[in-house]
Amino acid sequence: MSSGRGRDAHPAPTLEMVAAAAGVSRATVSRVVNAAPNVSDAIAEAVNEAILKLNYVPNRAARSLVSRRTQVIALVVPETTAKLFSDPFFATVVQGVALYLSDTDFTLNMLIASEMRSDKTRRYLLGGNADGALVVSHHEGDHSYDRLDLSLPIVYGGRPLLESESESYFVDVDNVAGAAEATEHLIATGRRSIATIAGPQDMPPGFDRLRGWRRAMDSAGLPAALVEYGDFTPDSGAEAMRRLLDRGEPIDGLFAANDQMAAGAYSVILERGLRIPHDIAVAGFDNNYFGSTAVPALTTIDQPSLELGRTMAEVLVRRIEGKPVDRVTMMPTSLVVRASTAPRDA
Amino acid sequence: MSSGRGRDAHPAPTLEMVAAAAGVSRATVSRVVNAAPNVSDAIAEAVNEAILKLNYVPNRAARSLVSRRTQVIALVVPETTAKLFSDPFFATVVQGVALYLSDTDFTLNMLIASEMRSDKTRRYLLGGNADGALVVSHHEGDHSYDRLDLSLPIVYGGRPLLESESESYFVDVDNVAGAAEATEHLIATGRRSIATIAGPQDMPPGFDRLRGWRRAMDSAGLPAALVEYGDFTPDSGAEAMRRLLDRGEPIDGLFAANDQMAAGAYSVILERGLRIPHDIAVAGFDNNYFGSTAVPALTTIDQPSLELGRTMAEVLVRRIEGKPVDRVTMMPTSLVVRASTAPRDA
DNA sequence: GTGAAAGCGCTAACAA
DNA sequence: TTGTTAGCGCTTTCAC
């Protein structure tokens, strides 16, 4: 079994061949191809005809070599994310990026960055293989590529852990506002003793969502004391819920920092003979299948992951093209109301 | 707010600079970089030292221009798939591809192919922008890029609808064997009246999984008559289950052609007051969250999606490098036994 | 084993 | 408005 029939079957027409066919110089063809302003219509037409006839496609390598632009955007993905292929959030962000770029002249290059070969990624980026890079830091706040930004523009997904220490460009979801909205919704349905299962405080989403819950509780004049922490896994959510209930204080509402932990909390609530939403109304964050397939379906905060990716790409392209862009872009979240926060007597 | 600080901050060292630093000619540096056999150890060492000191990285554009190789592999994704970001299967395949390529010198280029701009994709591929292409046809059997294979090697995910009409290289999952295994498992747990909810018969997975069910039933001497069709959505699974039960014939086992349809069937089974697995044991196919989060958890057939992607990439790289490869590669599936097929009295 | 020189296909001054 | 010319950084005969 042989293979690779070689691109030599099709001896790829060159600019020179087009020039010959159209009876003009290579420079003129180049001008037409690049839509330069100063070409007479008659000549342009003749050239375009030749291009069509020969089925000419410019050679990117040659173009990049002289123009110093690759028309490539690198998407850096941490290997851990790649292995944890159970993450719909990540996949959606990537698709948003790809979708946006498909309407531009840029091409998307996916790089898997592992700790082991981290310099391979750096070298690739520094080697002039891309005009810019997108780093999907998976909301962990890792902006360790910051230094590279001196050599090529970088845009992160998710804010850095310490904003003050970074000058990086990033696009993020407004976690504080989202968490506040979920909590306000709980309050609006008549709940007063609202607990929260927070995420890790060394991750921006964990930290910000707790802040949002606090803000809403404070604004409503309710005590923000019922807090337990988890690590975003269902199991940790279950354990946090157990600790919460073991405090012996009344709880009629719960905001979990993500849907997975809410799902974990569900099992404990039911196991204790309590009903959702009758005894405890529950809201989550993320809007993924853990919430949508739960029974009762979980009220949650939707993150615009597709838009997040799209926006990251847009910000990067603007930077590359030298157009003005804000260093930080926040994407709005939206509340998805489902059965888990239904009013008690509806 | 400005931007793109230009790669000129770092004036990217060239081969020429390395040559100067090492006191040799550019040709020699090139030989060292490309690990040519005929370079004396002493010189090679000196060159490597210079490379390290200058932090030299070869310019791909220049290299591609002369070598006629791009070291790029294109991944063509249909836009519908990109929009339907709810598909973990697809995301995992892509990650498998990326993971494999990260250990090679190839780089992954994602292309979104829409019907509207389909020639953009073709032109890209024909324009010598990639050394080969991977087409994730999402198991729909669409091998419409077949003609391109004359100009550059292409490997598909999923077999073509009509094998006879295509000479394409592809990697697929053994749907027939998987479906048969699930059905045999049902039989082994003592079920005899086993129905199936099949997928669309114009899609290879739909067609093949029905064949697998039939094969298992025939081998066991059981009648293969209880068949209804769905379109792989949960709703269609629910309706098919309804039709199945409305036939009035006894059913004690069900093989659904995917987990989503199994989930749909679950709701109807429970709604009719039947118990899973006591009255009806259920098995699905895909092993995604529809099955793992269902109650009771669904026995299903696992597809090695990560491996599928990895293998597609491997087959393509072998073709590009002119090494022998089989035109068709089948990946094995595996049975995941869960509560939905537990023996009646266990 | 090493160097000199030509050229891959294109763009961008500069001339005309 | 169009053509001429000189490279971009690399690989690759061909001499030595």
Side-chain angles (χ1 to χ4, degrees):
Chain A
M1 203 119 295
S2 168
S3 64
R5 342 208 160 161
R7 41 184 21 60
D8 311 316
H10 248 280
T14 68
L15 197 157
E16 174 133 38
M17 294 165 66
V18 175
V24 298
S25 75
R26 298 182 320 187
T28 302
V29 177
S30 178
R31 289 189 186 103
V32 174
V33 169
N34 296 293
N38 45 351
V39 193
S40 76
D41 290 0
I43 293 237
E45 198 170 331
V47 170
N48 277 320
E49 219 165 275
I51 287 178
L52 243 54
K53 195 173 58 198
L54 295 182
N55 218 305
Y56 168 74
V57 181
N59 178 311
R60 285 218 190 198
R63 187 181 273 188
S64 295
L65 185 56
V66 44
S67 68
R68 287 25 210 68
R69 284 179 113 235
T70 62
Q71 294 298 109
V72 166
I73 281 182
L75 180 76
V76 182
V77 180
E79 185 168 35
T80 51
T81 298
K83 278 184 177 154
L84 252 47
F85 46 83
S86 55
D87 200 327
F89 171 78
F90 164 72
T92 310
V93 171
V94 174
Q95 284 156 357
V97 169
L99 236 27
Y100 178 85
L101 292 182
S102 72
D103 283 330
T104 69
D105 277 331
F106 287 95
T107 242
L108 215 210
N109 253 157
M110 262 189 70
L111 302 186
I112 303 281
S114 73
E115 281 90 58
M116 288 168 48
R117 288 173 277 107
S118 83
D119 60 315
K120 193 188 166 194
T121 305
R122 293 189 124 74
R123 288 170 67 81
Y124 178 88
L125 260 19
L126 290 174
N129 293 296
D131 292 339
L134 255 16
V135 180
V136 183
S137 61
H138 201 246
H139 273 203
E140 273 147 16
D142 172 14
H143 282 208
S144 56
Y145 290 92
D146 273 3
R147 287 184 195 167
L148 293 191
D149 203 303
L150 295 163
S151 337
L152 93 170
I154 293 184
V155 172
Y156 292 87
R159 73 172 180 82
L161 207 47
L162 295 171
E163 246 270 53
S164 58
E165 287 188 357
S166 167
E167 279 292 285
S168 38
Y169 280 68
F170 64 87
V171 179
D172 201 0
V173 153
D174 196 338
N175 285 296
V176 179
E181 188 177 6
T183 309
E184 283 154 10
H185 171 69
L186 249 12
I187 296 171
T189 62
R191 312 297 167 150
R192 288 297 171 267
S193 308
I194 302 169
T196 189
I197 298 178
Q201 295 302 294
D202 56 353
M203 283 171 67
F207 185 76
D208 290 347
R209 292 174 193 176
L210 176 57
R211 258 174 65 207
W213 171 80
R214 279 224 172 85
R215 198 176 77 187
M217 295 298 278
D218 289 351
S219 302
L222 297 173
L226 293 164
V227 184
E228 286 291 347
Y229 300 87
D231 63 4
F232 284 142
T233 62
D235 282 354
S236 73
E239 280 169 34
M241 190 69 224
R242 216 164 266 137
R243 291 196 299 274
L244 239 19
L245 291 172
D246 287 346
R247 293 189 182 193
E249 297 177 42
I251 295 180
D252 62 3
L254 170 73
F255 166 61
N258 76 345
D259 288 3
Q260 276 93 316
M261 294 200 294
Y266 261 47
S267 60
V268 173
I269 293 174
L270 300 177
E271 162 190 313
R272 299 273 175 116
L274 298 169
R275 289 155 302 168
I276 303 170
H278 186 84
D279 298 309
I280 301 184
V282 182
F285 203 118
D286 275 0
N287 191 22
N288 61 32
Y289 54 83
F290 280 92
S292 54
T293 62
V295 182
L298 182 70
T299 288
T300 190
I301 296 294
D302 181 69
Q303 306 197 56
S305 351
L306 197 75
E307 285 307 317
L308 181 74
R310 205 189 284 273
T311 306
M312 284 176 67
E314 190 181 347
V315 169
L316 182 58
V317 169
R318 291 185 68 93
R319 285 195 71 188
I320 291 172
E321 293 177 342
K323 294 182 189 161
V325 231
D326 288 334
R327 197 172 61 75
V328 3
T329 309
M330 295 303 270
M331 308 289 299
T333 56
S334 63
L335 177 69
V336 178
V337 178
R338 290 198 279 239
S340 70
T341 56
R344 250 172 271 239
D345 303 311
Chain B
M1 201 119 294
S2 169
S3 64
R5 341 208 162 159
R7 42 183 20 59
D8 311 315
H10 247 281
T14 67
L15 196 157
E16 175 133 39
M17 295 166 66
V18 176
V24 297
S25 73
R26 298 181 320 186
T28 301
V29 178
S30 177
R31 289 190 186 103
V32 173
V33 170
N34 296 293
N38 44 351
V39 194
S40 75
D41 289 3
I43 293 236
E45 199 170 331
V47 171
N48 278 319
E49 220 166 274
I51 287 178
L52 242 55
K53 197 173 57 199
L54 296 181
N55 218 305
Y56 168 73
V57 180
N59 178 311
R60 285 217 192 199
R63 185 179 275 188
S64 295
L65 187 55
V66 42
S67 67
R68 285 30 209 65
R69 283 180 116 233
T70 61
Q71 293 301 109
V72 166
I73 281 181
L75 180 77
V76 181
V77 180
E79 185 168 34
T80 50
T81 299
K83 279 185 176 154
L84 252 47
F85 47 85
S86 54
D87 200 327
F89 170 78
F90 164 72
T92 310
V93 171
V94 173
Q95 285 158 354
V97 169
L99 237 27
Y100 178 84
L101 292 182
S102 73
D103 283 330
T104 70
D105 276 331
F106 288 95
T107 241
L108 215 211
N109 252 160
M110 260 189 70
L111 302 186
I112 304 280
S114 72
E115 281 91 57
M116 287 169 49
R117 289 173 276 104
S118 83
D119 61 315
K120 192 188 166 194
T121 304
R122 293 189 124 75
R123 286 171 68 81
Y124 178 88
L125 260 18
L126 289 174
N129 292 295
D131 292 339
L134 254 18
V135 180
V136 183
S137 61
H138 199 246
H139 273 206
E140 275 147 13
D142 172 13
H143 281 208
S144 57
Y145 289 91
D146 273 3
R147 287 185 196 166
L148 293 190
D149 203 302
L150 294 164
S151 336
L152 94 169
I154 294 184
V155 172
Y156 293 87
R159 74 171 179 84
L161 206 47
L162 295 172
E163 249 270 55
S164 56
E165 287 188 357
S166 168
E167 279 292 285
S168 38
Y169 280 68
F170 66 87
V171 179
D172 201 1
V173 152
D174 196 337
N175 285 296
V176 178
E181 188 176 8
T183 308
E184 282 155 11
H185 171 68
L186 249 13
I187 296 171
T189 62
R191 311 298 166 149
R192 289 298 171 267
S193 307
I194 303 170
T196 189
I197 298 180
Q201 295 303 294
D202 56 355
M203 285 171 66
F207 184 76
D208 290 346
R209 292 174 194 176
L210 177 55
R211 258 173 64 206
W213 171 79
R214 276 224 174 85
R215 199 177 75 187
M217 295 298 278
D218 288 351
S219 302
L222 296 173
L226 293 165
V227 185
E228 286 291 344
Y229 299 88
D231 63 5
F232 284 141
T233 63
D235 281 356
S236 73
E239 281 169 34
M241 191 68 225
R242 217 163 267 136
R243 290 196 298 273
L244 240 18
L245 291 173
D246 286 348
R247 292 189 181 193
E249 297 176 41
I251 296 180
D252 62 4
L254 170 73
F255 167 61
N258 76 343
D259 288 4
Q260 277 94 315
M261 294 200 293
Y266 261 46
S267 60
V268 172
I269 293 174
L270 300 178
E271 164 190 313
R272 299 272 174 117
L274 299 169
R275 289 156 302 169
I276 303 171
H278 186 84
D279 298 310
I280 301 184
V282 183
F285 202 118
D286 274 0
N287 192 23
N288 61 32
Y289 53 83
F290 280 93
S292 54
T293 63
V295 182
L298 181 70
T299 288
T300 191
I301 295 295
D302 182 69
Q303 305 197 55
S305 351
L306 198 75
E307 285 307 318
L308 180 73
R310 205 189 284 273
T311 306
M312 283 175 67
E314 188 181 348
V315 169
L316 182 57
V317 168
R318 290 185 69 92
R319 285 195 69 188
I320 291 172
E321 293 177 342
K323 293 182 190 160
V325 231
D326 288 334
R327 197 172 61 76
V328 4
T329 308
M330 294 304 269
M331 309 287 299
T333 56
S334 63
L335 178 69
V336 178
V337 177
R338 290 197 281 239
S340 70
T341 55
R344 250 171 268 239
D345 302 312

